[in-house]
């Protein structure tokens, strides 16, 4: 899997909008499986994951997110966060954003419905989730997410309205006017007016 340099710019732009006392940043080697599964994530109301998304259409239970596969000393480590891992998270997040390829896809399983990353995070406790429907561009997604978080955090818009505003902003930029760059993301779940403070 290729490195995603845009994810660092994406993280820096988002973190600039959040007071230091109210944020947790896990980038580079800290963006690892252990921190994601055993860290302080349950206490945060907003969770943003920028990584590779891997969808398995044949066996949807094998769908996963790919995080750092090396430690700071260059030693390999497990870098796959699978759907079973996600189902076992205990989140209290009002919003989870999966800034990765195809995170909104899944497979319809008779008697179960659509099985994929969206379902895993909703089951783990997320009220809403932003996911993508196709392979995304690292650079344009960093730009889209910057617009999205400005609308969400600075302008205090609900996630669906913030995403719409980000998409409109992207359409105005000649470089990113094509729907490929701004249309892959959608919002799932229920946003409560109580969450808009």
């Amino acid at each position: 899997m290729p490195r995603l340099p845009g994810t660092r710019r994406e993280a820096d732009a988002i973190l600039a909008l959040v007071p230091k006392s109210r944020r947790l940043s896990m980038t580079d080697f800290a963006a690892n499986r252990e921190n994601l599964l055993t860290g302080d994530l349950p206490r945060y109301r907003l969770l943003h994951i920028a990584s590779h998304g891997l969808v398995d259409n044949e066996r949807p239970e094998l769908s996963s997110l790919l995080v750092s596969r090396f430690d700071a000393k260059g030693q390999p480590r497990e870098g796959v966060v699978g759907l079973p891992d996600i189902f076992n998270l205990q989140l209290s997040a009002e919003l989870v954003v999966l800034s990765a390829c195809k995170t909104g896809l899944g497979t319809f399983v008779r008697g179960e419905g659509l099985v994929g990353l969206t379902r895993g995070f909703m089951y783990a406790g997320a009220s809403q989730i932003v996911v993508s429907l196709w392979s995304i561009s690292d650079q344009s997604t960093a730009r889209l997410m910057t617009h999205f978080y400005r609308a969400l955090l600075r302008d205090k818009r609900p996630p669906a309205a913030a995403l719409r505003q980000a998409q409109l902003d992207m359409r105005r930029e000649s470089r990113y006017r094509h729907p490929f760059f701004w249309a892959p993301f959608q919002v799932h779940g229920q946003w409560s007016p109580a969450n808009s403070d």
Side-chain angles (χ1 to χ4, degrees):
M1 289 287 180
R3 293 197 65 177
L4 299 170
T7 59
R8 183 53 184 261
R9 289 189 303 277
E10 186 174 325
D12 290 343
I14 295 165
L15 290 169
L17 297 166
V18 180
K20 287 185 180 183
S21 63
R22 298 180 62 201
R23 69 185 190 198
L24 171 68
S25 173
M26 291 188 283
T27 58
D28 304 323
F29 298 115
N32 61 58
R33 176 183 162 82
E34 294 79 20
N35 284 340
L36 186 62
L37 298 180
T38 63
D40 286 339
L41 297 184
R43 64 176 248 199
Y44 291 92
R45 69 179 197 97
L46 178 65
L47 175 61
H48 182 89
I49 301 173
S51 68
H52 285 289
L54 305 171
V55 176
D56 191 320
N57 291 321
E58 297 291 317
R59 295 179 295 176
E61 69 278 5
L62 297 181
S63 295
S64 58
L65 296 171
L66 186 62
V67 293
S68 179
R69 297 180 293 159
F70 298 94
D71 66 18
K73 295 178 182 175
Q75 297 299 310
R77 71 164 96 189
E78 179 61 49
V80 176
V81 179
L83 190 56
D85 299 318
I86 294 165
F87 269 106
N88 286 319
L89 289 172
Q90 293 184 4
L91 301 176
S92 56
E94 294 169 10
L95 178 65
V96 172
V97 178
L98 298 182
S99 181
C101 295
K102 302 179 182 179
T103 53
L105 301 182
T107 301
F108 184 79
V109 176
R110 189 177 184 148
E112 294 292 324
L114 190 66
V115 176
L117 296 172
T118 301
R119 183 171 180 179
F121 277 98
M122 297 294 266
Y123 183 85
S127 298
Q128 276 196 310
I129 185 165
V130 174
V131 292
S132 66
L133 297 177
W134 57 75
S135 294
I136 56 176
S137 159
D138 182 42
Q139 296 209 3
S140 65
T141 299
R143 186 90 174 129
L144 177 77
M145 289 300 165
T146 300
H147 287 298
F148 171 72
Y149 279 98
R150 278 191 199 129
L152 183 75
L153 300 174
R154 187 187 65 195
D155 302 338
K156 306 283 188 208
R157 295 185 184 192
L163 181 59
R164 180 179 185 276
Q165 185 60 54
Q167 291 169 331
L168 291 172
D169 291 343
M170 292 286 284
R171 285 184 63 193
R172 290 185 193 104
E173 298 180 29
S174 59
R175 182 176 182 188
Y176 299 123
R177 185 171 295 146
H178 192 280
F180 168 80
F181 297 112
W182 55 263
F185 289 95
Q186 59 180 216
V187 181
H188 292 269
Q190 181 73 29
W191 185 255
S192 166
N195 295 343
S196 60
D197 59 354

